[in-house]
Amino acid sequence: MSDLISLVSIFVLGVIGWITYKVYIWPIYITPLRKIPGPPSESLFYGNYKTFMNEEVNEPQLELMKKYGNIVKYYEIFNQPALIITDTTMVQDITLSNTYDYVKPIVDSVAFIGRGLPLSEGEDHKKQRKMMNPAFTYRNIKNMVPTFTRVASILISLIENKMDLGESNIILAPYISKTTLDIIGLVGFNYEFNSLTSPNELADAYTILVTPTNLGFIISKLSNYFPFIRSIPIEINRKFNNACAVVNRESEELIKRKLKEAETGELKGSDLLSVLININKTLPIEEKLTDNELKNQIMTFLVAGHETTSSATSWALYLLAKHPHVQDLLREELVKAFPDKSTFNPTFDEINTLEFLNGVVKETLRLHSPVTAIRRINIKDKTFGNYLIPKNTSIIISTTGLHKSPEIWGPTVNDFDPKRWMDPTLTKNISNISFLPFNAGARGCIGNKLSLAEFKVILSILIRNFVFQLAEGFHVKTRTFTSSKPDSEIEFIISRVES
């Protein structure tokens, strides 16, 4: 009996010693990352996440960069050291020079996204990217623009109906989100969400999965270490798991239907998924995507093409309402291009020739990029300057830090100034490693042209039809860690633009 007690005691002491080493001794005293400046850990359990989620800190990434420089060490869950960077040498290595030396961290969103293009790695990613490129040609995207306009026109009618009922103060974000969801459903896989006009089970499930909360973020991070956490029967897990089940069921039914149409030669749609399936039919067996890989692209289109455009449009309206003179200049350009708002139906080329609109869009993406951080883990040891970055280090490229760096953008870095994009003396210094709303290189967003065209059409039709103002004294916080969404609902005072 005493031998058993001794063995148990040794085991317990060993476990305690191992945990102490992993969460305290190694992160503080041994890791090569200890030489990199950064804030001290606040907790052996949650590291520095309390600072990142502190509602009193407006943009925690920026605050760390200002204090510690462009390579900052911080601590994640279980006190594991990680990096936040805006160092352009490292950014270039990660995004352009050695892309596949850096992998995406395992996240529980794979439960509903699957290993589609965003979460695939190495040769698998190369295969999917090569196969999907033809679906995002100029020809295909320009044919989607009428769909953007048609759905956006439903949004215009909805706003006008509210105004006819005496409403002038309207919270627009939920309606813009439904607009972009309806659009990506149609152009992505010819699915009628109709969420602007009616409830939809798949739309509701998807909203649950992509709407971030601080608790959801913590559970997601913990589930990377302890997958069983998602099985604990609490309300947030029940909602997550039920939503995953709905998404998987609907995606499987949709892909089965389209594959059956492809077998009989009846798949004639121009939506992205139909184009992919028809391309897939022509490929040699070693290059084909499996049925499951094709199914995963459904959620890829949704996640990449919905919330990012929705968030960017909400921020653009906020910035234009805050700067009415800029809003007036944009409207002048739109009125000149489209004198009759009742026949607003731009082509892809027309919407992309509007210089000031392009400046407004880019400046919005600079100040409020939908992707505030690009997360990677290096699979090889790396050396940058005097710093050794051991393999398996969690690295965050701070898009926010790059986009708001005075070294890159000058003394007016915090100003909303669309005209900066029309000044060659300023734009000549901007590269694809200093402006990263869609990432860059082999892992850059494959649908960036689609997203930009959609953003421009929705914003244009809104500004052409309405004047947007903010309630006096209204100010919105900028959250840049778990989400780029506004921290509070933006209520606009809306009035009509006369024809």
Side-chain angles (χ1 to χ4, degrees), residues 246-284:
V246 170
V247 164
N248 284 317
R249 184 191 72 227
E250 293 293 317
S251 298
E252 285 177 5
E253 289 180 4
L254 180 61
I255 199 70
K256 284 178 183 176
R257 185 164 65 248
K258 284 192 173 288
L259 289 172
K260 187 174 181 180
E261 290 175 7
E263 288 176 7
T264 59
E266 297 175 1
L267 189 62
K268 306 294 184 183
S270 59
D271 59 281
L272 293 172
L273 186 59
S274 296
V275 172
L276 286 183
I277 291 172
N278 283 325
I279 292 171
N280 206 44
K281 285 169 56 180
T282 67
L283 298 176

Side-chain angles (χ1 to χ4, degrees), residues 124-386:
D124 193 31
H125 179 268
K126 292 177 185 178
K127 182 185 80 169
Q128 292 192 41
R129 179 90 184 197
K130 179 181 177 182
M131 185 268 187
M132 292 175 68
N133 273 329
F136 293 88
T137 60
Y138 163 78
R139 178 183 176 185
N140 285 349
I141 294 173
K142 77 173 186 177
N143 290 336
M144 297 174 185
V145 172
T147 301
F148 303 162
T149 305
R150 177 167 61 83
V151 178
S153 297
I154 297 172
L155 172 63
I156 298 302
S157 298
L158 188 151
I159 295 172
E160 288 177 336
N161 290 340
K162 285 183 169 293
M163 295 176 72
D164 290 341
L165 293 172
E167 293 185 49
S168 59
N169 290 30
I170 301 173
I171 295 174
L172 269 186
Y175 301 106
I176 294 172
S177 180
K178 290 177 180 179
T179 300
T180 58
L181 182 62
D182 287 352
I183 286 173
I184 199 61
L186 290 168
V187 303
F189 38 94
N190 197 27
Y191 183 93
E192 294 274 3
F193 280 107
N194 291 324
S195 63
L196 274 170
T197 54
S198 59
N200 179 283
E201 185 183 24
L202 180 56
D204 292 342
Y206 169 75
T207 300
I208 288 171
L209 294 174
V210 300
T211 303
T213 63
N214 284 349
L215 177 59
F217 175 78
I218 293 296
I219 289 177
S220 177
K221 295 294 290 185
L222 286 173
S223 69
N224 297 334
Y225 297 93
F226 310 110
F228 70 86
I229 283 177
R230 276 297 185 190
S231 301
I232 298 173
I234 56 178
E235 183 65 16
I236 193 169
N237 281 342
R238 279 193 290 268
K239 286 184 176 181
F240 177 86
N241 293 325
N242 289 340
C244 285
V246 170
V247 164
N248 284 317
R249 184 191 72 227
E250 293 293 317
S251 298
E252 285 177 5
E253 289 180 4
L254 180 61
I255 199 70
K256 284 178 183 176
R257 185 164 65 248
K258 284 192 173 288
L259 289 172
K260 187 174 181 180
E261 290 175 7
E263 288 176 7
T264 59
E266 297 175 1
L267 189 62
K268 306 294 184 183
S270 59
D271 59 281
L272 293 172
L273 186 59
S274 296
V275 172
L276 286 183
I277 291 172
N278 283 325
I279 292 171
N280 206 44
K281 285 169 56 180
T282 67
L283 298 176
I285 188 70
E286 66 274 9
E287 294 182 17
K288 286 183 184 289
L289 297 189
T290 66
D291 291 355
N292 192 56
E293 286 174 327
L294 286 167
K295 186 204 81 169
N296 289 340
Q297 307 315 327
I298 295 173
M299 281 307 296
T300 295
F301 297 148
L302 273 178
V303 171
H306 162 234
E307 201 60 41
T308 52
T309 307
S310 168
S311 174
T313 305
S314 292
W315 278 120
L317 290 175
Y318 169 76
L319 290 168
L320 291 169
K322 192 176 178 182
H323 301 86
H325 63 289
V326 179
Q327 185 178 162
D328 290 342
L329 288 173
L330 176 58
R331 189 172 295 107
E332 285 176 17
E333 182 180 62
L334 292 168
V335 169
K336 185 177 180 180
F338 310 105
D340 186 354
K341 67 178 182 178
S342 66
T343 59
F344 180 90
N345 191 24
T347 65
F348 179 86
D349 291 329
E350 286 173 334
I351 206 72
N352 281 301
T353 57
L354 302 178
E355 285 191 339
F356 197 73
L357 171 64
N358 185 60
V360 168
V361 164
K362 284 189 171 182
E363 189 70 343
T364 300
L365 293 174
R366 183 182 73 83
L367 291 172
H368 299 287
S369 177
V371 179
T372 63
I374 299 169
R375 299 171 182 273
R376 295 291 185 267
I377 294 173
N378 55 318
I379 59 174
K380 299 178 180 178
D381 289 346
K382 294 282 181 175
T383 301
F384 295 97
N386 297 322

Side-chain angles (χ1 to χ4, degrees), residues 16-34:
I16 293 172
W18 180 82
I19 292 173
T20 302
Y21 175 81
K22 292 294 287 184
V23 303
Y24 182 71
I25 297 174
W26 185 84
I28 304 297
Y29 299 107
I30 297 178
T31 174
L33 299 178
R34 71 188 186 279

